[in-house]
């Protein structure tokens, strides 16, 4: 589980800037997700060590649940690492607890070279800003959108992908045949949220301070998805409890004409079926064009031993050339506007199309997290409600209204 890379050793002891002339070796500790130990990042650490003789990077990788457990224990012990990657929900939580380093002064000092927030997608800035101050910097910014099998759509008489729900439903029916579905939905609740948001619904309403996924707009979105399964028979019932890769596997095998997923499935599709003729489409627009957003941020604990060096690594890891190299090799989408405009990214039709969806993508639970009210139990309530609708064909309006009441009761007891 734990992989630690301890690089280099030095006899001459000079760290960056403020440590010049010191006479002791130093180590900067970094916690990262186990799946993100990309070669491009290891090269950044090697360059940091080369530029700062006497310093080593202790790069520790964990699965997200294990990383959180260790980080919380470190906070309690007053011995946190210097730099931490987080999966999108921890910056508001830990900043509101006074556990993170305020990055305002560092970002302002280095604006000429770092161009923060000017060169960053607005959503990535919003996700890392708490009470008007910066506490994290986005390193990956992802979203989910529509993938379609070009040949299947052409065989059914469609040269272009759908742009709204009516077109989507028509094409899903037309491409369904024996052993092949027009659309393969994902069982995880978050994958139902594009339908909710495209119809004007939302997870939480900051104006009322209440959960809002029981609204008429939200119910219509989930009911639309259920009707594809139970009325049209153009989508299979997603397997409850199964991993979220199921739709990708159907798509890769040529057994689904359309799926909704993110850039994390680019390489599995490319390697799983190199001959598959597929493309990425903009997200559908009903009331509005919208889709779900995810990603990873970097944050510096308030009690980090070396915040200046950690900030240096943030700048290096999010440099545009590193972002471009990482995205081309690992099919990850990035938060900087100059990354999206890079000619190599634009030349990749799959990667570039995912990037084009980032500006209108939204972090579903961000408003609740920023209000300091996020509780994972609410996600479980919504997940159970989605299960009832998609698996048991229960009416979305009734199920989601009851789930909203239950979620708001949880919120009231916080």
């Amino acid at each position: 589980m734990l992989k630690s890379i301890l690089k280099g050793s030095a006899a001459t002891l000079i760290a960056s800037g403020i440590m010049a002339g010191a006479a002791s070796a130093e180590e900067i500790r970094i916690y990262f997700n186990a799946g993100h130990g990309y070669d491009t990042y290891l090269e950044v650490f090697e360059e940091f060590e080369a530029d700062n003789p006497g310093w080593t990077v202790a790069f520790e990788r964990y699965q997200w649940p294990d990383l959180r457990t260790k980080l919380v224990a470190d906070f309690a012990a007053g011995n946190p690492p210097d730099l931490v990657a987080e999966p999108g929900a921890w910056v508001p939580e830990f900043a509101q607890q006074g556990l993170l380093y305020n990055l305002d002064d560092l970002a302002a000092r280095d604006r000429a070279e770092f161009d923060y927030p000017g060169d960053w997608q607005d959503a990535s800035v919003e996700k890392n800003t708490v009470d008007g101050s910066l506490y994290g910097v986005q390193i990956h910014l992802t979203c989910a959108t529509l993938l379609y099998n070009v040949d299947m759509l052409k065989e059914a008489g469609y040269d272009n992908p759908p742009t709204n729900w009516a077109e989507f439903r028509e094409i899903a029916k037309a491409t369904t045949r024996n052993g092949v579905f027009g659309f393969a939905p994902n069982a995880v609740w978050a994958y139902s949220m594009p339908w909710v948001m495209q119809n004007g619904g939302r997870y939480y309403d900051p104006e009322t301070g209440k959960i809002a996924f029981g609204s008429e707009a939200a119910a219509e979105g989930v009911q639309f998805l259920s009707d594809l399964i139970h009325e049209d028979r153009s989508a299979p019932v997603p397997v409850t409890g199964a991993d979220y890769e199921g739709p990708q596997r159907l798509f890769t095998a040529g057994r689904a004409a359309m799926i909704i997923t993110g850039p994390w499935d680019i390489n599995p599709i490319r390697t799983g079926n190199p001959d598959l003729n597929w493309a990425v489409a903009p997200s559908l627009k009903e009331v509005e064009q919208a889709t779900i957003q995810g990603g990873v941020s970097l944050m510096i604990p308030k009690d980090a031993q070396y915040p200046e060096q950690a900030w240096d690594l943030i700048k290096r890891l999010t440099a545009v050339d590193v972002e471009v190299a990482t995205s081309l090799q690992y099919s990850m989408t990035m938060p900087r506007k100059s990354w999206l405009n890079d000619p190599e990214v634009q030349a990749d039709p799959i990667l570039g199309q995912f990037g084009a969806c980032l500006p209108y993508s939204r972090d579903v639970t961000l408003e609740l997290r920023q209000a300091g009210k996020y509780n994972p139990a609410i996600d479980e309530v919504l997940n159970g409600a989605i299960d009832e609708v998609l698996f048991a064909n229960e009416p979305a309006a009734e199920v989601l209204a009851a789930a909203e009441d239950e979620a708001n009761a949880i919120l009231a007891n916080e």
Side-chain angles (χ1 to χ4, degrees), residues 110-375:
D110 296 340
R111 184 161 297 156
E113 61 172 301
F114 195 46
D115 196 10
Y116 195 96
D119 189 37
W120 302 71
Q121 297 285 348
D122 293 344
S124 71
V125 176
E126 184 183 8
K127 288 157 74 82
N128 292 286
T129 301
V130 180
D131 297 329
S133 288
L134 179 66
Y135 287 94
V137 174
Q138 203 79 24
I139 184 171
H140 304 151
L141 187 66
T142 61
C143 67
T145 191
L146 181 67
L147 275 58
Y148 65 99
N149 185 310
V150 175
D151 292 338
M152 284 186 182
L153 263 63
K154 285 187 176 179
E155 288 171 8
Y158 299 92
D159 292 329
N160 297 304
T163 62
N164 56 43
W165 289 10
E167 293 176 2
F168 180 87
R169 191 167 192 171
E170 180 181 307
I171 291 176
K173 289 180 180 177
T175 51
T176 297
R177 59 183 187 275
N178 289 337
V180 176
F181 291 98
F183 175 61
N186 196 302
V188 177
W189 69 268
Y191 285 85
S192 296
M193 292 306 293
W195 307 99
V196 170
M197 294 189 295
Q198 286 162 12
N199 203 40
R202 62 202 308 177
Y203 180 100
Y204 171 74
D205 185 347
E207 294 185 3
T208 64
K210 293 185 177 180
I211 296 299
F213 53 61
S215 68
E216 182 178 349
E220 287 177 353
V222 178
Q223 189 63 54
F224 178 83
L225 184 56
S226 178
D227 288 347
L228 295 172
I229 299 169
H230 298 287
E231 184 175 324
D232 297 353
R233 308 286 183 183
S234 59
V237 177
V239 179
T240 184
D243 65 62
Y244 66 87
E245 295 177 344
Q248 176 267 116
R249 290 171 179 158
L250 286 175
F251 186 77
T252 302
R255 295 182 56 205
M258 298 183 287
I259 61 173
I260 292 176
T261 190
W264 47 86
D265 275 336
I266 295 175
N267 281 351
I269 295 170
R270 281 173 167 168
T271 56
N273 189 350
D275 297 327
L276 193 71
N277 185 14
W278 62 287
V280 179
S283 301
L284 301 178
K285 181 178 180 181
E286 192 65 9
V287 173
E288 59 183 302
Q289 189 172 36
T291 191
I292 53 175
Q293 179 191 96
V296 175
S297 293
L298 299 173
M299 57 188 189
I300 301 174
K302 184 178 180 181
D303 293 333
Q305 191 172 3
Y306 303 114
E308 188 76 27
Q309 284 71 25
W311 176 251
D312 182 16
L313 280 171
I314 286 177
K315 291 188 295 181
R316 292 171 183 255
L317 288 166
T318 59
V320 176
D321 61 333
V322 175
E323 284 195 347
V324 171
T326 302
S327 64
L328 294 176
Q329 186 171 349
Y330 297 100
S331 299
M332 183 61 72
T333 49
M334 299 298 181
R336 297 191 74 146
K337 296 173 183 174
S338 52
W339 166 81
L340 183 55
N341 294 328
D342 185 272
E344 288 187 276
V345 173
Q346 289 293 314
D348 185 325
I350 300 296
L351 202 57
Q353 189 57 259
F354 269 111
C357 298
L358 289 174
Y360 56 77
S361 65
R362 299 207 301 268
D363 186 322
V364 174
T365 62
L366 178 63
E367 292 170 321
L368 185 61
R369 299 200 310 271
Q370 289 180 327
K373 298 179 178 179
Y374 177 71
N375 186 331

